[in-house]
Amino acid sequence: MRLPWKRLLLFVLLFTAMYAALSHAWSEGLSHWVIDVATVKPAAWIARNLTGGQAIVAAGSHLQSQRVSINVLYGCEGTDVWMLLAAALLVAPVAWRDRLLGLAAGTVFVFAINQLRVLALFFSLWLRPAWFGPLHGLIAPLTVVALVAAFFLAWLRWAARPGANARAPA
């Protein structure tokens, strides 16, 4: 079996470059948009609707109720797992059209599962505080990575479907 060493190396280099670029560009302004606006505000809205209008609010990077508060920090907003997926999609041996469709669908997917992760952490702290540590430190991160890997594999299968566009050059 011939392993795709060039693609693997390109994946690692691409992910490393994206991660370094984001780390270098991270600022209060970017943090505000990625964490406060794109992560915490939607989570607060969803949590309020799930609880029938409980007083759950977004206060900057904090998702809080009268009982609990969690602080969403850099690394908890899903960009790291999105960059893993993006790097994998961009080096896959498929047509560029399929890569771009995968990137668009993958972005929505990562956003959705990260929202579920944030909400699970918030509600675990609210309802079962003893679950928060294992959920935050092990279960949720592994679940997110496993779901993104499953998305990538499903996307690869879709991109290799009969009648798909011509393959991108190897």
Side-chain angles (χ1 to χ4, degrees), residues 29-46:
L30 185 57
S31 171
H32 168 73
W33 284 105
V34 174
I35 294 175
D36 304 354
V37 175
T39 304
V40 178
K41 280 189 179 188
W45 181 84
I46 295 167

Side-chain angles (χ1 to χ4, degrees), residues 143-154:
T143 301
V144 168
V145 170
L147 289 171
V148 168
F151 173 90
F152 177 73
L153 292 174

Side-chain angles (χ1 to χ4, degrees), residues 62-107:
H62 293 268
L63 178 60
Q64 58 191 37
S65 71
Q66 294 174 342
R67 296 174 58 187
V68 297
S69 176
I70 63 169
N71 188 18
V72 178
L73 301 171
Y74 175 66
C76 299
E77 77 296 325
T79 55
D80 50 353
V81 75
W82 178 83
M83 288 184 286
L84 280 172
L85 178 61
L89 291 167
L90 291 172
V91 302
V94 300
W96 274 102
R97 179 180 176 273
D98 290 341
R99 291 178 199 189
L100 295 175
L101 286 171
L103 194 55
T107 299

